[in-house]
């Protein structure tokens, strides 16, 4: 049976993450439900609409870092992409946006 699993990350700037998602054309909603197997849901700070019927939630922890929460079996089944591949895409996009923002602040 499928269920939600939490993947900790070092993402700590949700605005940079949202900018990265927007630039890559990924649809998301703030303070929304994340959908999983057989209609299971949970609340997240950001819900990324990733695959038909399956979302990825961004949930901020008490320490300020965010975790990616999803029904990873469903994501893999619907997209053919493994959990690590999907997480890597999100984290790389976020890192690129953080570098762009830092370069802009430094006048580059």
């Amino acid at each position: 049976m499928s269920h939600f699993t939490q993947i900790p990350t070092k993402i700590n700037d949700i605005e940079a993450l949202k900018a990265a998602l927007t630039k890559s054309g990924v649809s998301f909603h703030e303070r929304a439900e994340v959908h999983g197997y057989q209609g299971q849901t949970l609340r997240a700070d950001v819900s990324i609409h990733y695959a038909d019927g399956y979302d990825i939630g961004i949930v901020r922890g008490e320490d300020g870092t965010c975790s990616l929460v999803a029904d990873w079996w469903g994501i893999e089944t619907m997209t053919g992409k493994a959990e690590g591949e999907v997480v890597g895409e999100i984290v790389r996009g976020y890192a690129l946006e953080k570098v762009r923002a830092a370069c802009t602040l430094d006048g580059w």
Side-chain angles (χ1 to χ4, degrees), residues 35-67:
H35 298 90
Y37 181 69
Q38 292 188 338
Q40 294 175 343
T41 62
L42 64 86
R43 297 291 289 170
D45 296 295
V46 176
S47 177
I48 302 169
H49 303 290
Y50 203 81
D52 188 29
Y54 293 91
D55 306 317
I56 299 171
I58 309 298
V59 178
R60 183 181 299 276
E62 291 179 17
D63 66 353
T65 61
C66 297
S67 294

Side-chain angles (χ1 to χ4, degrees), residues 10 14 23 35:
K10 295 190 180 205
I14 289 183
K23 286 182 181 176
H35 298 90

Side-chain angles (χ1 to χ4, degrees), residues 5-25:
T5 304
Q6 184 171 330
I7 307 297
T9 71
K10 295 190 180 205
I11 294 172
N12 60 10
D13 183 346
I14 289 183
E15 293 306 314
L17 176 62
K18 292 188 304 187
L21 295 171
T22 299
K23 286 182 181 176
S24 62

Side-chain angles (χ1 to χ4, degrees), residues 80-99:
K81 294 181 179 181
E83 171 188 311
E85 185 179 355
V86 174
V87 171
E89 289 173 358
I90 293 168
V91 171
R92 279 190 303 277
Y94 167 77
L96 180 60
E97 190 57 35
K98 289 293 285 182
V99 169

Side-chain angles (χ1 to χ4, degrees), residues 22-37:
T22 299
K23 286 182 181 176
S24 62
V26 174
S27 175
F28 66 89
H29 290 286
E30 294 184 65
R31 292 175 289 288
E33 286 188 340
V34 176
H35 298 90
Y37 181 69

